[in-house]
Amino acid sequence: MHQYLLFSPEVAAARTAGKPIVALESTIISHGMPYPQNVTMAQEVEHVIRAAGAVPATIAIIEGKICIGLVAEQLELLATSPDAMKVSRRDLPYVLSQGRLGATTVAATMICAQLAGIHVFVTGGIGGVHRGAETSFDISSDLQELARTNVAVVCAGVKSILDIGLTLEYLETHGVPVISVGQPAFPAFFTRDSGFKADFQLDSALEQAAFIQTKWQLGLNGGIVISNPVPEAFAMQKDEIDSITEQALREARDGGVAGKLVTPFLLARIKTLTEGRSLMTNIALVKHNAQVGAELAVAMRDLPG
Ligand code: PSU
Ligand code: MN
């Protein structure tokens, strides 16, 4: 086992028993949602995964270890620590060697999941190519990670704070397949249709698992995006979210927000500007993704070969 990994008792037992395990990120807890909704969301998502027959492994960096699976106090710690670092690929050696508290992004969670032998990871939205990236160069390292690390990422697409078209182009260039579930459209996080199509629609966990297994059996390294639209009842109005997104983007530009602060800034502004309604949508879609991810992990465990 890798020297930096520390498994929670629940995840350690799951590994011994050969149970399917689903990775979860922690930036969504520390930098993506306010307290106490963040910790409630984290607990509910773990519950959905257990109920579907898999074992949740929320990942974070605590006291020099990559923790795979968090106990209740550790979830609470991440949810309440303003000094938790947002950790992406670049930041992992720093936060580990300094013994700091770190919340892992999609990119860092993929790296840690792969180290831990976990192939399915559930989140809300992945990072992508930011609007205006042609001058800012702001492209999330989540996309590079998807290009190289063998983890399937279940998400609700990408937020329209990003340039969704360019994000999909980038993924295509790097050979990252984008699967959709239940519809041909690639979802836009708060809404079900981004106006772009996913590459392939695969509705059942069995088909998704077979696709993933085939990719890796071919030696085609890298991740897979499994995009699952927010349930209809929780989707937001496109016009409303578009105008709020524009306002948040303007504020970020005017305020000179840059680097790793951009995404958390935009997420927080959208939450405030929608008076918390976006938060309900956000929580609902992560739980829905947890269901799809757990079923996928079960199907992958049961595949022959
Ligand atoms: N998008 C969301 N919610 C999130 C994030 C992105 O809708 O919580 C978080 C994820 O952890 C993602 C990270 O990996 O932001 C991307 O940050 P950046 O754009 O700085 O790479
Ligand atoms: Mn960025």
Side-chain angles (χ1 to χ4, degrees):
M1 193 181 82
H2 199 280
Q3 57 180 324
Y4 287 106
L5 293 180
L6 185 65
F7 292 95
S8 69
E10 184 187 15
V11 175
R15 281 161 55 87
T16 308
K19 284 194 186 163
I21 302 174
V22 175
L24 298 159
E25 64 154 307
S26 43
T27 293
I28 189 176
I29 302 173
S30 66
H31 296 78
M33 287 183 195
Y35 184 81
Q37 289 91 339
N38 55 359
V39 71
T40 312
M41 178 278 305
Q43 289 160 347
E44 288 177 355
V45 166
E46 291 200 349
H47 176 78
V48 170
I49 290 171
R50 288 189 194 101
V55 172
T58 304
I59 295 179
I61 315 298
I62 305 175
E63 292 174 0
K65 291 286 179 193
I66 299 172
C67 295
I68 310 289
L70 304 181
V71 297
E73 301 80 67
Q74 291 172 319
L75 275 185
E76 187 77 19
L77 176 71
L78 275 157
T80 53
S81 302
D83 58 338
M85 269 186 75
K86 175 181 164 189
V87 179
S88 202
R89 168 175 277 264
R90 170 193 69 180
D91 314 292
L92 266 175
Y94 176 81
V95 73
L96 278 168
S97 62
Q98 290 284 315
R100 300 251 329 243
L101 181 64
T104 51
T105 62
V106 168
T109 307
M110 288 179 74
I111 294 169
C112 299
Q114 187 168 48
L115 285 174
I118 304 171
H119 302 298
V120 178
F121 162 29
V122 163
T123 186
I126 58 172
V129 179
H130 281 260
R131 298 199 202 175
E134 62 275 21
T135 51
S136 69
F137 273 40
D138 192 350
I139 300 175
S140 174
S141 56
D142 292 355
L143 300 187
Q144 275 295 318
E145 211 55 54
L146 281 160
R148 72 211 293 181
T149 300
N150 293 4
V151 175
V153 181
V154 182
C155 64
V158 299
K159 287 203 174 81
S160 57
I161 57 172
L162 302 171
D163 189 319
I164 298 178
L166 291 189
T167 300
L168 292 171
E169 288 292 345
Y170 192 99
L171 291 170
E172 180 186 359
T173 299
H174 290 277
V176 179
V178 176
I179 307 298
S180 61
V181 184
Q183 63 177 32
F186 182 64
F189 196 91
F190 293 119
T191 57
R192 290 168 62 85
D193 188 348
S194 65
F196 295 89
K197 275 196 160 52
D199 303 318
F200 314 106
Q201 178 179 347
L202 297 173
D203 292 346
S204 74
L206 207 63
E207 292 169 291
Q208 295 155 13
F211 179 100
I212 294 164
Q213 186 189 51
T214 304
K215 181 179 195 288
W216 292 337
Q217 282 176 339
L218 287 167
L220 300 175
N221 283 326
I224 295 95
V225 176
I226 311 269
S227 65
N228 181 41
V230 60
E232 193 84 63
F234 292 96
M236 294 185 71
Q237 292 299 323
K238 186 177 184 307
D239 295 351
E240 182 195 11
I241 195 70
D242 281 354
S243 74
I244 282 166
T245 300
E246 292 292 344
Q247 180 176 342
L249 285 164
R250 255 194 323 273
E251 291 179 9
R253 210 177 312 123
D254 296 348
V257 182
K260 68 194 278 187
L261 298 176
V262 172
T263 299
F265 175 87
L266 294 171
L267 299 181
R269 285 306 291 152
I270 287 174
K271 190 236 149 200
T272 305
L273 293 169
T274 59
E275 295 157 336
R277 269 172 300 121
S278 65
L279 187 57
M280 281 181 55
T281 302
N282 201 337
I283 292 169
L285 67 84
V286 183
K287 286 166 75 173
H288 190 215
N289 293 345
Q291 181 69 34
V292 168
E295 288 169 12
L296 174 58
V298 170
M300 285 180 69
R301 192 249 342 242
D302 293 341
L303 276 182

